[in-house]
Amino acid sequence: MRGIRLVAGALALGLGLAGLAACGSDEAPAGGGDGKLKIGLAYDVGGRGDQSFNDSAARGLDKAKAETGIETRELEASPGETDSAKEDRLRQLADGGFNPIIAIGYAYATPIGKVAKDHPNVKFAIIDDYSPGTDDGPNIANLTFAEHEGSFLVGVAAALKSKTNKVGYVGGVNTPLLQKFEVGYAAGVKAAKPTATVEVKYLTQPPDMTGFNDPAKGETAATGQLDAGADVIYAAAGGSGSGAFKSIKSKGKLGIGVDSDQYNVPELADVKDVIMTSMVKKVDLAVYDFITSVKAGKPISGNKVYDLKSGGIEYATSGGKVDDIKAQLEEYKQKIISGTVQVPSKK
């Protein structure tokens, strides 16, 4: 169904842009003559409805839309697509008069750098990447996160809740960003229980990005870790996490969500009882902040990091499953904020 919607959306976009070109439209300043923004948002693989990363971005867009007069157009990446496809998507939005334009995910780094240079009057933002010389510039906001800090906290939770002294990590794609989740998580596990072990499994290797949208692979990976003795699994795998939670529930164990508070995601209602916490990465806050900054005429630019101290990263308490260890989690949280605890971000 999503593929059908994508094709239909692309056809509609093509027709709309053809009309604009025929009228001699040029790139527009942020905010039209009526004061309304025309916001283009380019999702990563999985798009709106992935129950995780992209959905968090969508919530930020929806909040801004509800509060201010904005027009939006949302487009979605396809599994396995090239950089040129992402570049074309961003160019379509820019040529269609959308300003600002937000790219969701580090995979847009090279494409957004190229398109932003060609459209200096358009404000761009990219979520999850800051690569000087690639996606930086005066009209680009790099909205990044301290994922390792939040992952440390859910690692502490995993260790404290584990009865087997063995926990798991299922990553969507083996990239430096997902390794950042992994090392933070492992550090938290070891801090709380030095003798605990962490089993690690990535669903795919770059350039194959389908690991973020393959529940069957998520289920298989989680089953393997559970059969090997893990009793808590952190699924940092986008839409593939739903498969991991399915396996976790069948085995009567515990899972940890990512990006969104997945206990409260409607599509995961049948597995919510095994989601003990989530590493909440407030992509919605970053998207909302950027839109409102453009609306106010003071657009964010450069690298802005959302961390525990700024409230851009958090651990979820929905469902009450970490209430008994919340004091310990809060103690570690404050130590990270104060700098007493330094969380690693690289292997």
Side-chain angles (χ1 to χ4, degrees), residues 9 36 41 46 51 69 105 136 159 243 271 275:
K36 291 185 178 181
L41 193 146
Q51 305 156 19
D136 59 333
V271 294
I275 301 176

Side-chain angles (χ1 to χ4, degrees), residues 44 53 99 112 140 144 169 180 203 233 242 249-250 267:
D44 203 348
F53 178 62
N99 184 9
I112 203 171
I140 301 176
T144 59
Y169 172 80
K180 187 178 176 185
L203 303 183
I233 293 177
S242 62
K249 181 168 183 175
S250 73
E267 292 84 358

Side-chain angles (χ1 to χ4, degrees), residues 16-207:
L17 294 179
L20 286 168
C23 295
S25 176
D26 229 331
E27 63 184 46
D34 57 1
K36 291 185 178 181
L37 296 181
K38 289 182 64 177
I39 299 173
L41 193 146
Y43 289 113
D44 203 348
V45 174
R48 183 187 281 265
D50 75 341
Q51 305 156 19
S52 184
F53 178 62
N54 289 295
D55 270 357
S56 184
R59 285 194 295 274
L61 182 67
D62 291 344
K63 181 181 178 182
K65 189 172 183 177
E67 294 181 1
T68 62
I70 61 175
E71 177 186 341
T72 63
R73 176 155 287 157
E74 303 170 47
L75 301 177
E76 177 183 330
S78 300
E81 72 177 17
T82 61
D83 272 4
S84 62
K86 289 181 172 61
E87 185 178 331
D88 287 345
R89 183 173 301 113
L90 297 177
R91 289 192 187 281
Q92 285 179 344
L93 291 169
D95 292 341
F98 288 87
N99 184 9
I101 295 170
I102 306 169
I104 309 302
Y106 60 84
Y108 283 98
T110 298
I112 203 171
K114 292 179 179 179
V115 179
K117 287 179 181 177
D118 293 340
H119 296 270
N121 295 326
V122 176
K123 303 302 181 185
F124 292 85
I126 180 169
I127 300 290
D128 265 357
D129 196 81
Y130 175 55
S131 300
T134 300
D135 62 2
D136 59 333
N139 59 332
I140 301 176
N142 305 85
L143 309 176
T144 59
F145 297 82
E147 297 95 347
H148 55 306
E149 294 182 351
S151 295
F152 181 98
L153 293 179
V154 299
V156 170
L160 295 177
K161 288 290 187 177
S162 176
K163 297 176 181 178
T164 64
N165 224 31
K166 182 181 287 188
V167 301
Y169 172 80
V170 175
V173 183
N174 190 1
T175 65
L177 178 62
L178 269 292
Q179 290 170 12
K180 187 178 176 185
F181 286 77
E182 177 199 337
V183 297
Y185 177 65
V189 171
K190 293 293 186 179
K193 194 178 289 184
T195 58
T197 59
V198 182
E199 300 295 320
V200 176
K201 174 68 176 178
Y202 286 97
L203 303 183
T204 61
Q205 302 291 323

